[in-house]
Amino acid sequence: MTDKTKGKTIYGTIIKRVPKPTNSLRELAQRLVTEGPRKKEKTTRRVRVLFDDVYLVDSTSAYHVWEHDYYPYYYFPTSELKVDYVKREPIGDNDAVSFAMYKGPTKSTNTALMFTKGELKGLTRFDFDEMDAWFEEDQPIYQHPKDPYKRIDILPSTRKITIKVQDVVVADSSMNMFLFETMLRPRYYMPQTAVDWQYVKPSQKTTVCPYKGVAEYYDLVVNGNEIKDAVWWYRHPTRESALIEGMICFYNEKVDVYVDGEKEQS
């Protein structure tokens, strides 16, 4: 989950504005030209990108492109873009990739990457955070595309979960939802009534997860010691994660978690 403490919500998506191309985006473009992506795969999903109330692209020929090992981004055939770029700014000396500026009715963005050479030739990448909304078919997607090789399983469990901080029990439940996400440690979601709320204080933090939706956070205060953003919940999770709606999860790495009486190892 990526921190979205600063931003606004548009079409159900929390947006953080990036005013101009950053050095990291420039470095990414140059690396992709010289080294290529980790992996590239075509997808048949219909993908639409909304910017300033205009669809910049509506494609069934997008590519999943892994710029790193963690998750993919969407790249689109430049020939399928519905709006022409206003101008291009070459990155580097060989004109293999450029920043492309697109204008809507009231605003513009110049963080699109347009590739004309190399493994990504003929493809354009839009910055996820710069856009107002992204859709796979008719479903909004959040933060970044889902990895087609990863999944979430949410299973009910009567195994007893106890959460302690400095030997103080702050939550205890045998009616839980265990969330298993590929290659990540399990998370334990508990009913709100399982929590001792005298130790829980509201936080201003929110995060976005493409698999689960928008999370809201709480701090823990135990014996005068504060643990920031140690608790979260999903008020309105995505459809695939509906089973954890309204349930509370504690950050395993910040508290002591006991499963059927045995302390979970870090």
Side-chain angles (χ1 to χ4, degrees):
M1 293 185 289
T2 301
D3 190 349
K4 291 290 183 179
T5 303
K6 295 181 180 180
K8 61 179 180 178
T9 301
I10 304 177
Y11 297 102
T13 305
I14 291 184
I15 301 297
K16 182 178 67 176
R17 289 295 176 207
V18 180
K20 59 183 179 180
T22 62
N23 288 334
S24 60
L25 189 57
R26 188 180 300 273
E27 292 167 2
L28 169 67
Q30 293 174 324
R31 177 174 61 79
L32 290 172
V33 168
T34 57
E35 301 177 11
R38 296 286 194 272
K39 183 168 56 175
K40 180 182 75 172
E41 292 182 355
K42 195 169 185 178
T43 177
T44 58
R45 301 182 186 200
R46 182 187 184 190
V47 183
R48 285 172 283 179
V49 180
L50 190 67
F51 178 74
D52 202 14
D53 297 329
V54 174
Y55 285 111
L56 296 183
V57 63
D58 182 348
S59 177
T60 56
S61 302
Y63 285 83
H64 281 125
V65 174
W66 280 260
E67 302 168 349
H68 45 65
D69 295 330
Y70 306 109
Y71 50 80
Y73 277 83
Y74 274 128
Y75 283 58
F76 303 95
T78 303
S79 60
E80 290 194 2
L81 302 185
K82 299 173 70 67
V83 178
D84 290 333
Y85 65 87
V86 177
K87 66 178 181 179
R88 290 175 54 206
E89 176 194 338
I91 302 173
D93 299 327
N94 60 1
D95 199 28
V97 58
S98 303
F99 288 121
M101 175 180 282
Y102 289 85
K103 294 190 70 173
T106 63
K107 59 187 177 183
S108 63
T109 176
N110 61 343
T111 56
L113 296 179
M114 182 179 292
F115 293 82
T116 53
K117 296 180 183 178
E119 191 174 343
L120 298 173
K121 177 181 178 180
L123 298 180
T124 293
R125 173 199 192 270
F126 292 106
D127 187 84
F128 208 96
D129 289 336
E130 277 282 285
M131 301 298 104
D132 291 336
W134 292 69
F135 299 91
E136 289 178 343
E137 298 299 335
D138 294 293
Q139 181 71 32
I141 58 176
Y142 303 92
Q143 189 56 37
H144 59 75
K146 299 174 186 176
D147 190 323
Y149 297 101
K150 296 179 181 178
R151 60 175 289 169
I152 281 181
D153 287 311
I154 301 174
L155 305 175
S157 177
T158 55
R159 283 199 281 169
K160 185 177 181 180
I161 299 298
T162 303
I163 307 296
K164 293 184 179 182
V165 175
Q166 300 174 354
D167 290 328
V168 176
V169 176
V170 296
D172 189 64
S173 174
S174 296
M175 299 175 57
N176 309 297
M177 290 290 177
F178 284 17
L179 188 147
F180 300 95
E181 189 169 349
T182 305
M183 299 180 66
L184 298 178
R185 68 189 303 171
R187 300 296 186 186
Y188 310 114
Y189 285 79
M190 315 168 72
Q192 295 185 32
T193 51
V195 178
D196 191 336
W197 287 94
Q198 67 176 311
Y199 302 115
V200 180
K201 309 300 179 186
S203 166
Q204 296 301 309
K205 181 176 180 178
T206 62
T207 61
V208 181
C209 172
Y211 303 92
K212 299 184 286 292
V214 179
E216 302 173 51
Y217 282 74
Y218 293 98
D219 303 328
L220 286 175
V221 181
V222 179
N223 294 330
N225 297 311
E226 183 180 53
I227 306 175
K228 295 290 292 181
D229 307 319
V231 188
W232 70 83
W233 70 301
Y234 292 90
R235 187 187 303 267
H236 303 296
T238 60
R239 195 167 297 146
E240 67 184 303
S241 297
L243 289 175
I244 60 171
E245 180 177 357
M247 302 190 78
I248 302 296
C249 187
F250 289 81
Y251 213 133
N252 308 49
E253 294 84 351
K254 296 185 177 184
V255 299
D256 294 326
V257 179
Y258 292 80
V259 182
D260 276 347
E262 293 190 16
K263 186 176 180 180
E264 185 183 59
Q265 299 303 309
S266 300

